[in-house]
Amino acid sequence: MSKAETPSLQEVRKVTLSTEQNTSTLIKDLKSLFKLPVLIANVLPVFTGFWLALYFSNASFAEHWDIFLFSILGSTMVMAGALIINNWYDVDIDTVMDRTKNRPTVTGHISLKTVLTMGIAFTIVGFILLLFTTVESTIYAFVGWFTYVVLYTMWSKRKYTLNTVIGSVSGAVTPLIGWTALEPGFHIVPIILFLILFVFQMPHTFAIAMKKCNEYSAAKVAMLPVVYGFEMTKRQMVVYVACLLPLPFYLAPLGNTFLVIATLLNVGWIVLSFSGFFMKNDLKWAHWNFLYSVNYITILFLTMIIVTLPIF
């Protein structure tokens, strides 16, 4: 190679920088496509359900590690498939909303055909993996997938404020997936876990909808604060948070430590909810509720795991 053909140091740096930028963009796009924070948040209840099934059946994790892997990997892929298909279907809405306009489906970094193919592929592989656990676990995963993709994303989200209730069902079945990978689902513990997640998602989603009310309105999404206003939304949030108060007591076998922590979390949230009737800044109040709700469900489910560790 002649001297004239030898790439300069500056050209090499440009190529390296371009490669790094492309890699960084791809990673960012994939995180957005998979809705990574949402995906991770939904995996925790699956793990909690599985862990509590071990605890209440006096089973050994070492004897069921393979079932654990199939249930976690399978459920994660099914949920990822549902979230990806949601991105594919909602591209018109995402184009309008500021918080979603940088998703790869909107920017065109990943083609819609590729996104749909990915969503279907992840879904199918996830169900196959779950079939190595139990049929019941796979059925609950299908209920969650169908509710989120068809009943929520494709049917109710753009038409009815009921979409929040429907979407909450899909998120609430996650502990049932983990529990029924080991034990039948007709048990008070997974039922209460389902109810906690279902009720929690209502004020959690309402807080998000209040924060992003203008964006949802522009995208013509029928969220409660868009259709009925903030005052109605705040009243409903108080009602749903109040419904959480008795639920931990059905999990009394988890011990007093859990009951105290859960009750303090519930009381704290109900106080914060009532404060909305006295605060002038509704958006700030909604933001505080959103932050509280995220920490609430994380602390609650982690506490369930911690108090059932052998050291307790």
Side-chain angles (χ1 to χ4, degrees):
M1 180 182 293
S2 66
K3 185 175 181 180
E5 294 174 326
T6 304
S8 66
L9 182 59
Q10 186 176 6
E11 290 173 332
V12 171
R13 286 176 176 171
K14 285 182 179 180
V15 171
T16 303
L17 181 60
S18 177
T19 302
E20 290 176 350
Q21 289 175 338
N22 289 338
T23 303
S24 176
T25 299
L26 177 60
I27 293 173
K28 183 178 179 181
D29 284 341
L30 290 176
K31 286 181 178 179
S32 178
L33 187 63
F34 284 93
K35 299 184 180 179
L36 198 58
V38 176
L39 183 59
I40 294 172
N42 279 279
V43 173
L44 176 59
V46 177
F47 176 79
T48 304
F50 184 91
W51 181 264
L52 292 182
L54 286 173
Y55 177 77
F56 282 96
S57 63
N58 293 315
S60 168
F61 181 84
E63 295 175 355
H64 297 91
W65 65 268
D66 53 339
I67 300 298
F68 170 75
L69 288 179
F70 281 124
S71 63
I72 293 297
L73 290 175
S75 60
T76 300
M77 294 193 76
V78 168
M79 290 184 290
L83 292 169
I84 292 171
I85 293 175
N86 172 268
N87 271 332
W88 167 78
Y89 191 84
D90 278 353
V91 62
D92 57 330
I93 294 176
D94 291 343
T95 303
V96 177
M97 299 182 67
D98 287 339
R99 72 185 185 94
T100 57
K101 65 183 181 182
N102 291 320
R103 286 178 177 169
T105 47
V106 177
T107 62
H109 292 167
I110 303 177
S111 71
L112 291 178
K113 182 179 180 180
T114 299
V115 170
L116 179 59
T117 302
M118 287 175 63
I120 294 172
F122 270 86
T123 298
I124 292 173
V125 173
F127 282 131
I128 291 173
L129 291 175
L130 283 172
L131 284 171
F132 284 95
T133 61
T134 65
V135 173
E136 189 176 1
S137 180
T138 309
I139 290 173
Y140 281 122
F142 176 76
V143 169
W145 183 93
F146 182 82
T147 303
Y148 185 75
V149 172
V150 179
L151 299 183
Y152 171 70
T153 300
M154 297 182 178
W155 175 57
S156 64
K157 184 175 181 179
R158 302 160 190 251
K159 298 179 181 179
Y160 312 107
T161 57
L162 189 67
N163 69 62
T164 308
V165 176
I166 295 171
S168 294
V169 172
S170 63
V173 299
T174 47
L176 288 165
I177 298 171
W179 178 282
T180 57
L182 280 178
E183 293 289 315
F186 191 70
H187 189 286
I188 188 64
V189 172
I191 292 172
I192 294 301
L193 295 183
F194 171 89
L195 290 175
I196 289 173
L197 276 171
F198 174 79
V199 175
F200 145 81
Q201 286 178 97
M202 299 299 292
H204 168 74
T205 306
F206 288 158
I208 296 173
M210 287 181 66
K211 288 179 59 181
K212 304 296 181 181
C213 186
N214 290 336
E215 294 183 37
Y216 280 117
S217 179
K220 294 180 172 58
V221 178
M223 302 302 289
L224 187 67
V226 173
V227 179
Y228 294 105
F230 281 5
E231 290 304 310
M232 169 68 80
T233 304
K234 288 191 287 186
R235 289 197 295 271
Q236 290 210 17
M237 287 175 71
V238 170
V239 171
Y240 280 111
V241 173
C243 288
L244 288 169
L245 288 169
L247 295 181
F249 293 95
Y250 289 95
L251 300 177
L254 293 180
N256 291 332
T257 301
F258 168 76
L259 289 179
V260 170
I261 293 174
T263 301
L264 288 174
L265 287 170
N266 284 335
V267 170
W269 201 357
I270 198 73
V271 170
L272 177 59
S273 297
F274 271 113
S275 72
F277 298 111
F278 307 99
M279 286 185 63
K280 294 182 179 180
N281 192 327
D282 288 332
L283 294 182
K284 181 181 288 187
W285 177 81
H287 182 65
W288 286 354
N289 271 272
F290 166 73
L291 292 178
Y292 193 97
S293 66
V294 171
N295 287 282
Y296 168 89
I297 203 66
T298 304
I299 294 171
L300 191 67
F301 274 75
L302 285 177
T303 301
M304 295 179 194
I305 297 169
I306 293 170
V307 298
T308 52
L309 291 171
I311 60 173
F312 281 84

